[in-house]
Amino acid sequence: MNKNCDESIQAVKEDIRQKYDKFAPWYDLVEGIPDFLGIRKLRRNLLQRASGNVLEIAVGTGKNLRHYPGNCHITAIDLSPAMLEIARKRASHLGLNITFMIMDAEALDIPDQSFDTVVSSLTLCTFPDPVAALREMARVCRVDGRILLLEHGRSDREWLGRWQDRKADRHAEKLGCCWNREPLDFVHHAGLKPVSTRRCFFGIFHVLEATPS
Ligand SMILES: C[S@@+](CC[C@H](N)C(=O)[O-])C[C@H]1O[C@@H](n2cnc3c(N)ncnc32)[C@H](O)[C@@H]1O
């Protein structure tokens, strides 16, 4: 990658970090609405499949933490110190012993095949290079491990997808969330092997389990 391109990607990431640092105190309040409408149930069902040493990528304020089975040993990373601070408080409130680290999902400072389960939710919309992040998830996951994803993207109902397309730039300005992406395409491009996929909420949300094949 040439130097200018690398610098501009770093600038985009810095912008995302600043946005989430500012938004952190409001995140749980705003996300409480989709959680109430059904996303919490999707989180709970997906995370029941986690086991062993778990890495959660871009953990945010730790909304998934309460849903992990008790036998999981969790490490969680995020780019935003303010989001991580809330996750830390949540973990302590829940009595969970979790290792938190500030790290870029697209360049994990973690050895290959370190985790039994890698989890990420509502993140591929935000990463500048979601395929790079998925490749990193695959790299740090054991070959017989699981990658669990809960993502949102462009609806498969054309009328809704077109509406998302029209509003996408405006929406992305707020938190860098590109809501008309195609998470399944990223999974395939990254070379992950889907084991199960489910689409819900007007085809916007994806619940996915993959292996790092
Ligand atoms: C929409 S929030 C999702 C938070 C959480 N996973 C959830 O389900 O509520 C996106 C998160 O991705 C983090 N993030 C964005 N870019 C990142 C990157 N390159 N590396 C690590 N975390 C990143 C943000 O700081 C934010 O916490």
Side-chain angles (χ1 to χ4, degrees):
M1 185 181 297
N2 76 40
K3 189 166 169 282
N4 289 344
C5 186
D6 190 39
E7 275 170 9
S8 73
I9 288 173
Q10 291 314 321
V12 171
K13 287 182 183 170
E14 177 55 21
D15 181 55
I16 291 171
R17 186 191 65 70
Q18 285 180 16
K19 281 182 166 139
Y20 274 96
D21 273 353
K22 275 201 196 114
F23 186 53
W26 306 103
Y27 185 82
D28 285 353
L29 194 67
V30 174
E31 281 301 311
I33 300 163
D35 267 3
F36 176 74
L37 293 175
I39 304 308
R40 185 180 298 129
K41 195 170 166 202
L42 297 182
R43 290 181 191 273
R44 192 170 53 229
N45 290 345
L46 181 72
L47 294 165
Q48 288 314 302
R49 301 187 219 168
S51 62
N53 282 329
V54 177
L55 175 66
E56 182 163 341
I57 301 289
V59 64
T61 59
K63 277 182 152 289
N64 290 332
L65 298 180
R66 67 174 68 245
H67 302 301
Y68 284 101
N71 57 355
C72 292
H73 302 284
I74 305 164
T75 301
I77 68 113
D78 201 284
L79 206 56
S80 156
M83 295 289 274
L84 267 191
E85 193 45 40
I86 295 174
R88 243 187 221 109
K89 284 187 186 141
R90 176 171 263 138
S92 142
H93 183 70
L94 293 168
L96 298 172
N97 186 11
I98 294 175
T99 305
F100 290 102
M101 289 187 278
I102 296 191
M103 210 180 277
D104 178 2
E106 295 174 15
L108 297 173
D109 187 12
I110 292 172
D112 296 357
Q113 297 193 40
S114 304
F115 290 93
D116 303 296
T117 311
V118 179
V119 173
S120 197
S121 63
L122 315 184
T123 60
L124 298 182
C125 55
T126 306
F127 298 148
D129 186 348
V131 172
L134 284 165
R135 287 195 176 126
E136 279 295 82
M137 293 183 212
R139 182 182 67 74
V140 301
C141 187
R142 276 178 32 188
V143 280
D144 57 349
R146 292 176 161 162
I147 299 170
L148 304 176
L149 305 172
L150 167 61
E151 292 299 338
H152 70 94
R154 189 181 189 279
S155 172
D156 56 359
R157 319 293 148 91
E158 239 348 85
W159 59 272
L160 186 50
R162 277 201 299 271
W163 181 82
Q164 288 176 289
D165 291 343
R166 279 199 300 278
K167 306 280 177 191
D169 287 346
R170 190 125 181 252
H171 182 75
E173 273 168 30
K174 290 175 209 146
L175 284 173
C177 167
C178 306
W179 68 0
N180 59 345
R181 287 181 170 177
E182 301 278 2
L184 268 177
D185 287 354
F186 296 145
V187 167
H188 287 125
H189 283 145
L192 275 64
K193 189 174 163 210
V195 175
S196 70
T197 64
R198 184 181 152 216
R199 251 182 133 135
C200 43
F201 291 104
F202 295 96
I204 289 176
F205 280 84
H206 300 256
V207 182
L208 258 139
E209 178 178 337
T211 57
S213 138

